[in-house]
Amino acid sequence: MKYEILCEDSKLGLIDRLLKVRGIDDDVDLFLNPKCKDYRNDPFKLNDMDRAVDRIIEWLKAWNKIMIFGDYDCDGVTSSFILYEFFTKYLHYKNVSIMYPDRIEDGYGLKNKHIDTMKEKWVNLVITVDNWITSIDEVEYGKEQWIDIIITDHHKNLETLPDAIAVVNPVVSPEYWCGYLAWVWVAFKLIAALLEKSKYDQDKKNEIFNYFLPIVAIWTVADIVPLLWENRLFVKKWLYLINHHRDKIPKSLQWYLEYLNLRDVDAFHFWFVIWPRINAWWRIDSPYTSLKTLMTYWDKQREYLTKLDEINSERKKMQEDAFKIAEKNLNLEEKMLIAEHEDFHEWIVWIVSGKITEKYNKPSVVFKLDKEKWLAVWSLRWPEYFNVIEMLQQNADILERFGWHKWAGWLSVKLENLAELKERIKNYCAEKISDNDLERIIYIDTKFYEDERDNEIIKKIADLWPFGEWNPEPQFLFENITIEDIQKVWKNWNGHMKIRGILWKNKIDFLFRWKWDMVETIENKNEISIVWKIKKDDFNGWYSVVWVEIL
């Protein structure tokens, strides 16, 4: 296994080495201690924001019907929720509703049939959230039906923008210097712009601003946008509000966290606890139920949250079963790993493909075969070294639809073209992927030196928090540990590995939880190096070493 140490400058202190790895050479204090005055960007620097706000205000005064059309994933649900909550709670405007596409019948984005439904409901204004930046034809159809459309999105645009009332998107906003925004951020910016035009005093504006911050935080972390600049500042602030002023956040989120028994919330909980539950509904049920967990309180919310846990457990079971089936069908000699099955769930294949790529460090594609529609719908995942965009574009002639996000792609192909497509992508990968690419690389921030074994130095690592995209949790290296003894330890019905060794001429013990199966791998070695992360025990305040890899 290859590894790369990103900073080996022993003349720098530990925190300075970590900052150097993250490219933070100047304005260190701005990164470690960000303040609102440094990062609070003017929402009107986003493209067409002034046009969007003016038209919304015009329709509010006329009491015309507004429809929020969201994507069905966590981004779309949280975004549509905060817009709806803002209209109804703070603007006291009730003539507004939410619509999502059906993930199976409609796929991604708004279709003409949705516009027809809106027309039947006498909708005058549509605000799209997290979609429509490429919906040129649908916008034209909406105009023919005398429906005004405001597009808010964060995806990459085509050469031509839709001819909507407004297109609010950081990607097409050269004056807005932080272009890496999750969509829920764009919705939040729309709220901020409307607030600026409101009659509320500054204290009330700040209260409303803080009220929505924790909801925005959930998807800022989960959408894997860089946790730098404005994103970092407000995630840090949101987490502070959640942990220290929970009474000031939406009541539904308060009860959500209580139900999950989350006290000291971190970005980890957004990614691994909260987000999967919201996402589970749209994958195998309905996004409307996810929405209801944010729009209800007390017993009714508990009812939805209980259902949500049941659905999430079902999702996990479906995912595990599909992964086992897929793995049996893989040809591990190929550089593109392919699996297909009629029983795969269309929205579980995303997760299965991701697990395959993570395990084998190869691009993978998992097909859901739909003989009724005569289509194969698939999800594609790939490692950092692979160029999926070029591969998809080269095969556009036999694809029905395709698209991609960071590290994830999706498409559909007619079954009669499936064999040809598989052959093409296998050949493409065989040509483009070298054996050297397939060797996994572990990136280590820095070596850990003897004089840094100090609680005060270690505590300063927390100044880099919160961790996420572009600011990952640091990984360290202990080099040349002489092994004296390795044991299997059975505790609390789990198998662990205990290593007793010598580091820096001192005896040291490591206990690696749930690593029982690794004992045979290293028991014949005299010396090892350990890649590790640091974890603080919230119960006793101690710091411990968390296993990443043994070299």
Side-chain angles (χ1 to χ4, degrees):
M1 181 180 291
K2 294 190 294 187
Y3 68 93
E4 181 180 338
I5 300 174
L6 301 176
C7 183
E8 296 191 77
D9 189 348
S10 59
K11 294 179 182 178
L12 294 175
L14 177 63
I15 302 303
D16 288 333
R17 297 200 302 278
L18 294 177
L19 289 170
K20 185 175 181 179
V21 169
R22 284 148 184 78
I24 311 296
D25 298 318
D26 302 318
D27 296 324
V28 169
D29 188 63
L30 196 63
F31 176 79
L32 297 178
N33 303 293
K35 297 176 177 61
C36 286
K37 65 181 180 66
D38 300 314
Y39 285 116
R40 200 165 179 175
N41 282 338
D42 181 358
F44 286 98
K45 289 185 177 180
L46 285 168
N47 186 71
D48 283 351
M49 181 64 87
D50 54 344
R51 290 166 55 86
V53 169
D54 288 346
R55 184 54 58 96
I56 290 171
I57 291 174
E58 179 184 339
W59 284 140
L60 291 177
K61 290 178 179 178
W63 200 253
N64 284 323
K65 189 168 183 61
I66 297 174
M67 178 70 76
I68 300 167
F69 187 88
D71 193 11
Y72 39 63
D73 64 4
C74 182
D75 204 354
V77 169
T78 52
S79 302
S80 54
F81 166 72
I82 67 169
L83 276 182
Y84 181 87
E85 184 85 342
F86 177 70
F87 280 123
T88 56
K89 181 180 178 71
Y90 292 107
L91 299 185
H92 310 294
Y93 192 81
K94 306 299 183 181
N95 199 15
V96 59
S97 54
I98 296 173
M99 178 186 288
Y100 301 113
D102 184 284
R103 71 199 186 287
I104 301 296
E105 296 298 323
D106 305 326
Y108 173 78
L110 191 145
K111 305 293 187 295
N112 287 354
K113 73 173 191 177
H114 299 126
I115 297 173
D116 292 337
T117 300
M118 292 175 191
K119 185 178 180 181
E120 292 171 5
K121 294 178 180 290
W122 298 91
V123 170
N124 303 104
L125 174 65
V126 179
I127 304 173
T128 76
V129 297
D130 196 29
N131 56 57
W132 261 39
I133 189 65
T134 60
S135 301
I136 295 170
D137 293 338
E138 289 83 355
V139 169
E140 289 301 318
Y141 183 73
K143 289 167 62 180
E144 292 172 6
Q145 309 308 310
W146 298 93
I147 295 176
D148 285 350
I149 297 169
I150 293 173
I151 295 172
T152 62
D153 204 347
H154 69 150
H155 293 101
K156 185 173 175 57
N157 57 294
L158 302 174
E159 289 185 11
T160 302
L161 290 176
D163 187 22
I165 295 296
V167 178
V168 182
N169 187 334
V171 176
V172 296
S173 304
E175 293 186 19
Y176 196 90
W177 62 267
C178 182
Y180 299 98
L181 297 180
W183 195 87
V184 70
W185 248 117
V186 185
F188 189 61
K189 287 295 179 180
L190 179 57
I191 290 173
L194 287 165
L195 272 177
E196 286 197 20
K197 298 286 187 177
S198 74
K199 296 179 180 179
Y200 286 124
D201 61 29
Q202 192 57 51
D203 287 342
K204 186 64 176 179
K205 288 178 181 178
N206 289 338
E207 176 193 320
I208 297 169
F209 185 83
N210 289 332
Y211 178 83
F212 289 113
L213 282 175
I215 295 289
V216 181
I218 293 172
W219 194 252
T220 298
V221 173
D223 207 25
I224 324 179
V225 295
L227 281 192
L228 299 175
W229 314 300
E230 195 172 22
N231 291 330
R232 172 177 167 78
L233 164 67
F234 289 114
V235 168
K236 196 163 188 168
K237 182 176 175 61
W238 300 328
L239 288 168
Y240 178 80
L241 282 170
I242 286 174
N243 290 320
H244 300 283
H245 297 284
R246 195 166 285 190
D247 59 313
K248 298 187 184 302
I249 69 176
K251 190 176 295 183
S252 60
L253 185 57
Q254 293 180 39
W255 280 90
Y256 205 126
L257 298 173
E258 286 294 320
Y259 176 83
L260 296 173
N261 197 29
L262 294 180
R263 295 288 183 267
D264 192 9
V265 178
D266 199 349
F268 168 88
H269 298 103
F270 289 165
W271 182 247
F272 290 103
V273 182
I274 300 172
W275 169 72
R277 284 172 164 79
I278 296 176
N279 251 11
W281 277 107
W282 73 262
R283 288 191 189 278
I284 57 178
D285 197 89
S286 164
Y288 291 103
T289 312
S290 288
L291 180 67
K292 288 172 183 174
T293 64
L294 297 173
M295 295 181 73
T296 54
Y297 318 123
W298 314 113
D299 292 342
K300 196 63 180 176
Q301 186 190 34
R302 177 172 288 276
E303 177 186 329
Y304 286 123
L305 288 171
T306 301
K307 289 180 181 178
L308 186 149
D309 270 346
E310 292 170 357
I311 287 288
N312 195 42
S313 297
E314 182 184 348
R315 188 267 307 168
K316 288 180 182 178
K317 177 68 165 55
M318 292 170 66
Q319 173 186 317
E320 291 167 2
D321 292 345
F323 180 76
K324 289 175 183 176
I325 294 170
E327 194 170 33
K328 288 179 182 178
N329 293 330
L330 299 177
N331 181 352
L332 298 180
E333 301 301 315
E334 300 279 2
K335 290 180 177 176
M336 165 63 82
L337 301 179
I338 300 175
E340 61 186 66
H341 204 280
E342 288 182 50
D343 293 336
F344 286 160
H345 191 286
E346 186 172 327
W347 294 102
I348 294 296
V349 294
W350 289 65
I351 308 172
V352 175
S353 181
K355 286 172 68 68
I356 291 170
T357 291
E358 181 182 0
K359 182 172 181 177
Y360 295 105
N361 197 36
K362 294 181 179 181
S364 68
V365 56
V366 181
F367 289 97
K368 154 69 176 177
L369 303 180
D370 189 335
K371 292 185 177 178
E372 184 177 330
K373 295 181 180 179
W374 202 243
L375 285 174
V377 182
W378 67 320
S379 177
L380 171 69
R381 296 295 179 99
W382 58 92
E384 188 174 356
Y385 62 76
F386 186 66
N387 185 348
V388 72
I389 299 173
E390 180 183 278
M391 186 187 77
L392 290 174
Q393 289 174 336
Q394 284 188 12
N395 293 285
D397 60 309
I398 60 171
L399 298 177
E400 296 301 297
R401 297 182 68 181
F402 69 91
W404 62 86
H405 220 302
K406 186 175 183 181
W407 313 133
W410 57 93
L411 60 78
S412 59
V413 59
K414 289 182 178 178
L415 291 184
E416 61 262 30
N417 294 325
L418 180 57
E420 182 182 352
L421 177 65
K422 290 194 292 185
E423 194 62 28
R424 284 191 192 185
I425 62 177
K426 284 180 184 178
N427 292 338
Y428 178 90
C429 291
E431 178 185 345
K432 298 291 185 179
I433 299 174
S434 68
D435 291 338
N436 192 54
D437 288 331
L438 297 176
E439 190 171 358
R440 196 184 301 274
I441 301 175
I442 291 183
Y443 293 100
I444 301 165
D445 287 80
T446 180
K447 296 177 184 177
F448 199 86
Y449 298 103
E450 182 176 5
D451 61 354
E452 292 168 343
R453 194 180 176 188
D454 180 284
N455 263 11
E456 293 307 310
I457 293 176
I458 292 172
K459 283 179 184 177
K460 290 182 179 179
I461 296 172
D463 291 341
L464 276 68
W465 172 92
F467 301 116
E469 185 73 359
W470 289 19
N471 180 32
E473 193 174 357
Q475 296 192 154
F476 303 101
L477 178 66
F478 280 146
E479 274 193 313
N480 305 324
I481 301 168
T482 302
I483 297 177
E484 290 192 332
D485 185 36
I486 300 177
Q487 299 176 12
K488 290 182 177 179
V489 179
W490 183 256
K491 186 177 181 181
N492 296 333
W493 300 100
N494 285 299
H496 313 299
M497 175 174 65
K498 182 177 182 180
I499 299 176
R500 175 162 293 172
I502 297 175
L503 176 66
W504 306 316
K505 298 181 181 180
N506 297 312
K507 290 187 180 295
I508 188 168
D509 289 343
F510 297 97
L511 180 66
F512 294 114
R513 298 186 177 193
W514 307 295
K515 294 297 179 182
W516 177 304
D517 58 331
M518 291 297 299
V519 171
E520 285 75 13
T521 306
I522 62 174
E523 62 183 354
N524 294 323
K525 294 184 177 183
N526 296 319
E527 191 175 86
I528 59 172
S529 295
I530 296 176
V531 184
W532 57 280
K533 296 179 181 180
I534 196 161
K535 178 176 174 59
K536 182 180 179 181
D537 190 312
D538 294 327
F539 179 72
N540 55 34
W542 296 348
Y543 293 91
S544 59
V545 170
V546 178
W547 160 294
V548 175
E549 191 57 75
I550 283 185
L551 305 176

